[in-house]
Amino acid sequence: MTQPPQPPDQPGFGPPPEPEPPRLEKSSQPEQPSQPEQPQQVPAAPQAQPPGFGPPPEPAQPPAQQPPSAPGGPDLSKTPEPGYGYPQAPQPPQQSPQAAPQTPPPAAPVPGYPQQPPPGYGYPQQPPAGYGYPGQPQPGQPGAYGQPQQPYGQPQQPYGQQPYGQPYGYPHPTVPMQPHPGQPGGGRKGNATLAIIVAAVVAIALIIGAGVWYSSAGGDDEKKNTANSGDSGGTKGAEGDGSGGATTGGDEKAPADPSAKVLFQVPAPKVPKDTTTIVTSGSWMTDKVYAKSGVAEVVGYDAAKGSELWTLDLPGPVCEASDHVTEDGRTAIIYKPKMPTKTDPQSCTQVAAFDLATGEKLWSETAKTGTQEISFNNVTVSGNTVAAGSTSGGAAWDIASGKALWAPKTSDACYDSGYGGGPKMVAVRKCGSYEQRQLHIQTIDPKDGKVLSEYKMAEGIEYAAVVSTDPLVVAADVGDSAGDGSGISDFFSIDNKSGELRTRISAPGEEFAARCDGITRIEHCSGLAVGKDRLYIATEEHEGTGDGYSRTNEVVAFDLSTGKQTGQRADAGDGYTIVPLRMDGDNVIAYKRPPYDKGGQVVSIDGGSFKETKLMENPAEKSVRDVEARMLPQHAEILYAQGRLYMSDVYASELSSGDKEYLAIAFGTS
């Protein structure tokens, strides 16, 4: 669910740099502002894609019909069992008793409901022809279809370590999990009667379980309403109880007609000679401007028409970009001082702030450790502060003037590897040797870097990602137990004021589809959102309930004060995959990746009732679907607000299949 990190062009310490996947080149003719690209101009033939980036060619015909089966998927009515993915080492002795992980008691057995999924529950033997990558693991899934699946809550078999230099987010080999004794390794059930009985029992259990969760949801802690990313801040109001109670709602309202049209398309940029791949990370939107990073530039487009409003020229490509924007429309990027070549890849040493309304560069600065300029891995914005982290430490500047606020000290025994921004600023500080690493999660004052509170994670946890800064939630792969490359085995809910652990949520990789890159891009996560003191997370895909072969998933919610599921559940629908994008007040804005013959959707999930409201449905024409299908939510940048949806790629490549390719596509309702 994450975008792969930047290419291996940064010398220094820390994890090995990782190669960028190839992208396809565009036509050398720039788009004319007065004549936006139309979807009918897009060739139907899909482009070639590297493994892990974009779907394969869409089938011209529907998948072959298969016998119906019982619905599959994770058991959403039970509490995660204690001990999953927890480290063997105890918490450091300096932590208070309140900081100890809180494990919810196991739910009482529901009469007549099987306490473990029946054999092969929810996992088909193989995907249908043309769906996904035949015979290969899907991104964000634990292994290839047909692999024996370990029952949730059972001890996991050890997974292989990610190979040195393997790009983060690519499917990578793992040690196959051993089947449970006496339990077949997944697939459709041959007995139709058994399928019907199982479906009925699951439905009854979910209803009963939901009632139990609803009655236990809530808490006395003050509830926060913040966005995962791309939201300028939360709106406080009446607190819902998880059962359809009062909520503050949000700004996004359903149009009279949710049918969308293509507003404009941005052709893929041509990369320089002798360069295979260029990073194009970074996209932002205001009510008037959609801004997107290209090759050594950031371009501002009219939000509705797509005509170019301004261009910020840079000497080198953008490496990373902040998702956060100040109230007056300013944000920050990291870029290279020159264009990279095969012999001189360049480092990401330049940090700059610019104005989204005009494209004006406000300033550009560097930081040093000793005499060496730092190559930065990540950048964020909180308040009026721009902060960037690296394996050499972090630095910060005032966003208006570029005045240095803090920089690494050579005497430091620890270093700030990265920061989370938005409502508050949170540092992920690394201490100790590689063999005895300890992460300190610090809420800091963005004006001077002063530590306001601190939570020390257990030794042995190498990386952590900041999911949200208010309320404070971090994700980590404890003991490399996630096993699916998602970077998440557990979420940690932390009190910003005291630094104490509120609760710890186990999120097994085979059941939940969220992803975080805590290695270098500290606050880059996908497939989840945080708000209303809840964690909203997508489940993994599983068998649908319709006739024939279909896949689907859900969004479920966890209470950040108790760590328990609230009982809320939003279904994607057969053939769709739902992914949370951000918060809108108390509501969740989510994107639905469509089946092969329909356009994608944007929905609003009510924070109390979990009722879905369709905000947008994209055109179903194949030429449009071909472009949309390449923008995988795990890697692409997806922004939605006020009836407009922007989807953009994060790489440009010299390779070409002869198809017309696009950097971004915009949709809008009437």
Side-chain angles (χ1 to χ4, degrees):
M1 295 172 202
T2 63
Q3 302 168 3
Q6 57 200 33
D9 51 16
Q10 299 188 29
F13 303 96
E18 301 170 352
E20 298 172 340
R23 286 292 303 171
L24 308 179
E25 72 175 358
K26 74 165 185 77
S27 169
S28 60
Q29 296 297 325
E31 182 184 31
Q32 298 299 321
S34 60
Q35 297 180 351
E37 293 282 344
Q38 298 300 320
Q40 290 76 11
Q41 298 172 342
V42 184
Q47 69 184 46
Q49 292 284 347
F53 283 85
E58 303 275 355
Q61 299 296 329
Q65 296 294 314
Q66 300 290 342
S69 65
D75 181 0
L76 302 177
S77 65
K78 68 181 182 181
T79 306
E81 297 189 16
Y84 185 95
Y86 278 47
Q88 299 303 315
Q91 294 286 341
Q94 62 270 31
Q95 295 182 19
S96 64
Q98 289 79 4
Q102 302 175 15
T103 305
V110 179
Y113 179 69
Q115 296 308 305
Q116 292 186 0
Y121 183 77
Y123 292 91
Q125 291 288 352
Q126 60 186 15
Y131 188 95
Y133 299 100
Q136 297 184 12
Q138 295 291 327
Q141 293 183 336
Y145 289 102
Q147 289 284 353
Q149 303 296 325
Q150 196 81 353
Y152 172 56
Q154 297 294 328
Q156 303 297 309
Q157 297 294 327
Y159 282 88
Q161 299 295 321
Q162 185 165 333
Y164 179 87
Q166 180 79 352
Y168 185 88
Y170 278 90
H172 53 273
T174 59
V175 178
M177 299 174 65
Q178 299 300 316
H180 193 277
Q183 184 170 348
R188 296 178 176 270
K189 303 171 183 63
N191 189 314
T193 303
L194 175 60
I196 296 172
I197 294 174
V198 171
V201 171
V202 170
I204 295 171
L206 286 173
I207 294 172
I208 297 174
V212 172
W213 287 123
Y214 286 152
S215 65
S216 62
D220 297 330
D221 293 340
E222 179 185 1
K223 307 302 181 182
K224 306 293 184 180
N225 301 296
T226 62
N228 173 40
S229 64
D231 193 1
S232 60
T235 303
K236 296 184 179 180
E239 173 63 22
D241 61 0
S243 58
T247 62
T248 59
D251 296 329
E252 306 295 346
K253 306 300 180 185
D257 182 3
S259 298
K261 63 180 180 180
V262 175
L263 298 178
F264 62 89
Q265 298 171 99
V266 179
K270 186 177 181 179
V271 301
K273 184 180 180 181
D274 297 328
T275 303
T276 56
T277 305
I278 292 290
V279 174
T280 58
S281 291
S283 59
W284 307 265
M285 65 182 299
T286 69
D287 57 343
K288 297 180 180 180
V289 177
Y290 170 68
K292 174 62 186 172
S293 295
V295 174
E297 65 180 7
V298 179
V299 181
Y301 303 91
D302 182 281
K305 301 176 183 178
S307 55
E308 292 189 15
L309 301 177
W310 51 259
T311 299
L312 171 59
D313 291 316
L314 301 168
V318 174
C319 302
E320 289 296 337
S322 174
D323 293 329
H324 305 291
V325 178
T326 63
E327 292 182 357
D328 56 355
R330 298 173 178 181
T331 190
I333 56 174
I334 302 170
Y335 65 94
K336 298 181 179 182
K338 296 180 181 179
M339 291 302 298
T341 64
K342 291 181 179 179
T343 57
D344 187 9
Q346 293 292 311
S347 297
C348 300
T349 56
Q350 312 296 306
V351 180
F354 68 97
D355 191 311
L356 286 171
T358 63
E360 176 190 2
K361 185 197 291 185
L362 304 176
W363 50 263
S364 180
E365 297 289 346
T366 62
K368 294 182 178 181
T369 174
T371 59
Q372 181 73 30
E373 285 190 343
I374 296 174
S375 181
F376 290 103
N377 296 324
N378 53 77
V379 65
T380 195
V381 174
S382 180
N384 291 317
T385 297
V386 175
S390 74
T391 54
S392 299
W397 301 264
D398 179 83
I399 197 167
S401 65
K403 176 184 176 182
L405 301 179
W406 69 80
K409 298 181 178 62
T410 56
S411 59
D412 285 350
C414 305
Y415 66 92
D416 292 353
S417 62
Y419 303 92
K424 295 184 183 296
M425 181 163 284
V426 173
V428 177
R429 191 164 178 81
K430 293 191 174 184
C431 298
S433 63
Y434 184 82
E435 294 78 12
Q436 293 182 312
R437 180 83 72 209
Q438 186 175 44
L439 303 183
H440 297 194
I441 309 301
Q442 300 175 333
T443 298
I444 63 177
D445 187 332
K447 296 179 181 179
D448 55 15
K450 178 182 178 182
V451 177
L452 304 178
S453 67
E454 179 178 73
Y455 170 70
K456 296 180 180 180
M457 304 188 76
E459 288 187 7
I461 300 177
E462 293 294 329
Y463 307 105
V466 179
V467 177
S468 168
T469 61
D470 187 18
L472 177 53
V473 180
V474 299
D477 185 359
V478 180
D480 297 322
S481 58
D484 60 350
S486 66
I488 304 171
S489 67
D490 295 83
F491 292 95
F492 297 77
S493 174
I494 302 167
D495 186 282
N496 277 107
K497 295 181 180 179
S498 66
E500 294 181 350
L501 182 69
R502 299 175 65 197
T503 191
R504 180 172 175 174
I505 300 170
S506 176
E510 72 270 21
E511 293 200 17
F512 297 101
R515 301 174 72 87
C516 287
D517 179 1
I519 297 176
T520 58
R521 308 172 72 197
I522 297 300
E523 61 175 348
H524 189 82
C525 296
S526 61
L528 47 73
V530 173
K532 200 188 174 188
D533 212 38
R534 302 282 191 269
L535 167 66
Y536 301 96
I537 183 170
T539 68
E540 283 285 4
E541 290 185 19
H542 56 80
E543 279 187 273
T545 57
D547 293 336
Y549 193 99
S550 66
R551 307 287 291 174
T552 189
N553 76 326
E554 302 80 27
V555 169
V556 297
F558 287 87
D559 189 308
L560 290 175
S561 63
T562 66
K564 297 179 180 180
Q565 286 194 44
T566 65
Q568 297 163 305
R569 164 176 167 161
D571 296 317
D574 279 333
Y576 288 89
T577 304
I578 189 168
V579 180
L581 297 179
R582 63 174 177 87
M583 298 300 298
D584 174 36
D586 286 345
N587 300 337
V588 181
I589 303 299
Y591 171 73
K592 286 188 175 182
R593 181 170 169 81
Y596 72 96
D597 58 348
K598 296 181 180 180
Q601 298 179 0
V602 177
V603 298
S604 176
I605 304 172
D606 186 273
S609 66
F610 248 46
K611 177 183 177 181
E612 295 180 37
T613 300
K614 186 190 297 184
L615 301 177
M616 171 181 285
E617 183 163 14
N618 294 335
E621 285 85 356
K622 188 177 187 303
S623 58
V624 179
R625 287 190 284 107
D626 285 344
V627 179
E628 181 178 4
R630 293 174 187 134
M631 305 294 182
L632 283 173
Q634 297 94 327
H635 307 298
E637 295 169 341
I638 303 178
L639 305 175
Y640 175 84
Q642 302 301 315
R644 292 172 184 161
L645 174 69
Y646 303 92
M647 308 178 74
S648 63
D649 212 338
V650 294
Y651 287 97
S653 172
E654 68 172 357
L655 301 180
S656 175
S657 63
D659 297 336
K660 185 78 173 179
E661 298 157 26
Y662 295 90
L663 177 66
I665 184 170
F667 300 93
T669 55
S670 300

